[in-house]
Amino acid sequence: MDHWPKDVGICAIHVVVPSLYVDQTDLERYDRVSEGKYTVGLGQKQMGFCTDLEDVNSLCLTAVSQLVENNGLSYTDIGRLEVGTETIIDKSKSVKTVLMKLFEASGNFQVEGIDTTNACYGGTASLFNALSWIESSAWDGRLAVVVAADIAVYAKGNARPTGGAGAVAMLIGPGASLVIDRGLRGTYMNHAYDFYKPDLSSEYPVVDGKLSVDCYLNALDRCYESYLSKCHGGDAGLDRFDSFVFHAPYCKLVRKSLARLYMNDFVNCVGAKDENRKHQDYWAYVEKTFVELSRTVFQDKTEPSLLLASRVGNTYTASVYSGLASYLLSVPPERLPGKRIGVFSYGSGLASSMFSIRVVDNGKLSGLIDNLKKGVGRLDERTRLAPEQFEDVLDVRQKSLHQAPYVPTGDRGQLFPGTWFLSGIDEMHRRYYERNE
């Protein structure tokens, strides 16, 4: 329709990584597991984490303020602000309302949007809401901001090495360098208890690991089938995409996911019966074969997207967009224009979607890449802590959860400059934030 704004999509991205990390080889030794269990078996190198100085509010404050500053924006330019997160610290007050603190000086309080929550899918739902607003009669010509942020921590055990923390803020509007393909979206929703957080007194989830992987891969099948059914003409499979970015609970699952799509293309090509490929037993039988057959495709299309996933870990709602950022920084800028990027987003419980992004050379792409480097470049400036220190931090977080009044005990000197942090909680559970200079 000719009345839609042109080239609506992502105009800018900013990534926030924690200033602290633990090395996965150190964790292997500390946990007394076999060498390579986390680094090879899960595909993880490092894991970012936060002390009690940071929560989901502070992560989002940092992400949005730095996005605005790095891109020379005014808060009056923003008409919608959406937050995707599953890290809930208040059952009523949204993270978005806390972020309005940033808008006070500008006098702009007319900002639509609110939080969206469903495991790791909230960031994608928020992105879709922002896109819909810009393409609706409610749009007032201003830009939208979507911020996805989470702190992923687990109880002691097999799941703990799959944690992480971080945030991604995205500026959404017309004339974007990363254009969302209109009308090409596959979605699959269902009911499952694969990962959930019923205990509000703890940050730790309840996880059925095997079921979660099965749900993820089944959702991937369904979304891929739905997406391809909407493609008309041209390539109708992985050849359609120059890159494919997946939600990354851990890197090894992403490797299997690309092989899964490769298998689906193969099965469709030879005309095998659908009921065979949708059984998990069938996948288990052929998995190793297709992982090997798709090795070159994986190295070309998906491995470049795993920089942040391997070095920061699972960031829940921010994970798939960290993958997008990683891909954009892993490919020479001159080779990006014209590329189509497939995106698969999954949130347990379950909600999932697949969509695609076209990279457009509109004179703004180099600026997007340069600003993106400012956040991701912090990876090499982080402080490495020992596993004992990492466990101490998690113990403090767990014991202090919902305490009021409370003054965080973390070391402010370890925070990056420009980081917002929790300065204290009063007796009425009201949280106060300051910025590290």
Side-chain angles (χ1 to χ4, degrees):
M1 297 176 65
D2 56 9
H3 65 271
W4 274 325
K6 185 178 180 182
D7 290 343
V8 176
I10 302 169
C11 303
I13 310 178
H14 182 70
V15 174
V16 172
V17 298
S19 59
L20 305 177
Y21 77 96
V22 61
D23 194 88
Q24 294 281 8
T25 56
D26 292 344
L27 271 182
E28 288 173 344
R29 288 190 291 268
Y30 180 75
D31 291 342
R32 297 182 180 180
V33 299
S34 59
E35 183 179 349
K37 183 177 177 64
Y38 305 154
T39 52
V40 178
L42 296 176
Q44 301 301 115
K45 297 177 182 177
Q46 301 161 349
M47 177 168 49
F49 63 95
C50 302
T51 69
D52 59 348
L53 280 170
E54 294 184 271
D55 59 19
V56 67
N57 290 342
S58 69
L59 283 174
C60 288
L61 284 165
T62 301
V64 173
S65 61
Q66 292 180 352
L67 175 79
V68 169
E69 292 161 1
N70 290 346
N71 290 277
L73 299 170
S74 166
Y75 285 99
T76 59
D77 297 331
I78 300 168
R80 189 175 187 93
L81 175 59
E82 295 267 351
V83 178
T85 186
E86 64 170 85
T87 307
I88 308 302
I89 55 176
D90 190 287
K91 292 183 287 185
S92 176
K93 183 174 173 60
S94 68
V95 177
K96 185 274 179 72
T97 58
V98 176
L99 298 182
M100 291 306 299
K101 174 184 179 72
L102 299 172
F103 290 75
E104 290 176 359
S106 72
N108 177 23
F109 299 101
Q110 187 177 336
V111 183
E112 294 189 6
I114 209 74
D115 294 3
T116 301
T117 302
N118 185 87
C120 304
Y121 187 78
T124 295
S126 297
L127 173 62
F128 290 171
N129 289 344
L131 294 170
S132 295
W133 175 69
I134 290 172
E135 294 186 339
S136 77
S137 61
W139 186 47
D140 62 5
R142 292 184 293 169
L143 299 166
V145 170
V146 170
V147 55
D150 276 301
I151 297 173
V153 289
Y154 294 85
K156 291 182 180 180
N158 292 334
R160 177 158 281 189
T162 64
V168 175
M170 298 177 284
L171 185 69
I172 312 301
S177 299
L178 306 176
V179 180
I180 310 297
D181 280 331
R182 185 180 288 119
L184 290 179
R185 186 187 300 176
T187 290
Y188 175 70
M189 305 272 178
N190 208 337
H191 170 55
Y193 279 115
D194 58 325
F195 169 109
Y196 51 109
K197 296 180 178 178
D199 183 359
L200 299 181
S201 67
S202 174
E203 287 191 297
Y204 304 148
V206 177
V207 185
D208 184 332
K210 183 180 184 306
L211 176 61
S212 188
V213 172
D214 289 348
C215 288
Y216 180 106
L217 294 174
N218 181 54
L220 176 62
D221 287 344
R222 298 297 188 92
C223 287
Y224 192 52
E225 180 180 15
S226 177
Y227 176 95
L228 293 182
S229 72
K230 298 175 182 178
C231 299
H232 303 290
D235 296 321
L238 278 174
D239 288 343
R240 179 180 182 82
F241 306 98
D242 299 286
S243 173
F244 217 105
V245 176
F246 298 84
H247 168 58
Y250 53 93
C251 294
K252 199 63 173 286
L253 182 58
V254 172
R255 178 70 188 88
K256 292 180 180 180
S257 298
L258 191 281
R260 182 83 165 208
L261 297 189
Y262 189 89
M263 181 192 75
N264 284 341
D265 285 356
F266 176 82
V267 170
N268 287 333
C269 182
V270 301
K273 293 182 179 179
D274 282 347
E275 57 265 26
N276 286 338
R277 63 174 171 152
K278 290 178 181 176
H279 287 305
Q280 294 305 326
D281 290 343
Y282 178 78
W283 166 243
Y285 177 72
V286 300
E287 177 182 312
K288 290 184 178 179
T289 299
F290 280 98
V291 164
E292 185 57 38
L293 287 174
S294 63
R295 184 173 300 278
T296 301
V297 178
F298 170 74
Q299 291 171 344
D300 179 45
K301 295 183 186 292
T302 297
E303 192 170 35
S305 71
L306 295 179
L307 170 67
L308 286 163
S310 65
R311 296 188 62 185
V312 178
N314 188 3
T315 52
Y316 289 164
T317 55
S319 170
V320 71
Y321 301 102
S322 294
L324 173 62
S326 297
Y327 173 74
L328 293 172
L329 292 180
S330 298
V331 176
E334 64 274 11
R335 290 175 48 196
L336 284 171
K339 291 190 179 299
R340 175 176 274 119
I341 305 167
V343 180
F344 174 66
S345 178
Y346 176 83
S348 293
L350 59 85
S352 59
S353 289
M354 184 177 291
F355 60 101
S356 53
I357 297 172
R358 289 181 294 108
V359 183
V360 177
D361 187 6
N362 56 3
K364 304 174 185 176
L365 182 60
S366 61
L368 182 151
I369 300 299
D370 288 343
N371 283 326
L372 181 55
K373 291 177 182 177
K374 294 177 182 179
V376 179
R378 287 268 167 88
L379 281 173
D380 295 327
E381 301 172 13
R382 297 175 299 166
T383 300
R384 177 176 177 172
L385 294 188
E388 295 89 346
Q389 295 170 295
F390 165 66
E391 288 222 335
D392 287 345
V393 166
L394 264 57
D395 287 344
V396 169
R397 291 188 62 90
Q398 179 66 10
K399 291 174 183 176
S400 65
L401 194 65
H402 303 309
Q403 280 192 23
Y406 181 73
V407 178
T409 61
D411 182 359
R412 298 181 185 183
Q414 293 177 325
L415 297 173
F416 289 132
T419 299
W420 285 85
F421 62 91
L422 177 68
S423 58
I425 304 173
D426 69 16
E427 66 280 356
M428 294 183 65
H429 294 266
R430 292 176 296 198
R431 292 173 176 251
Y432 299 90
Y433 298 90
E434 297 177 23
R435 197 173 190 186
N436 198 40
E437 299 301 335

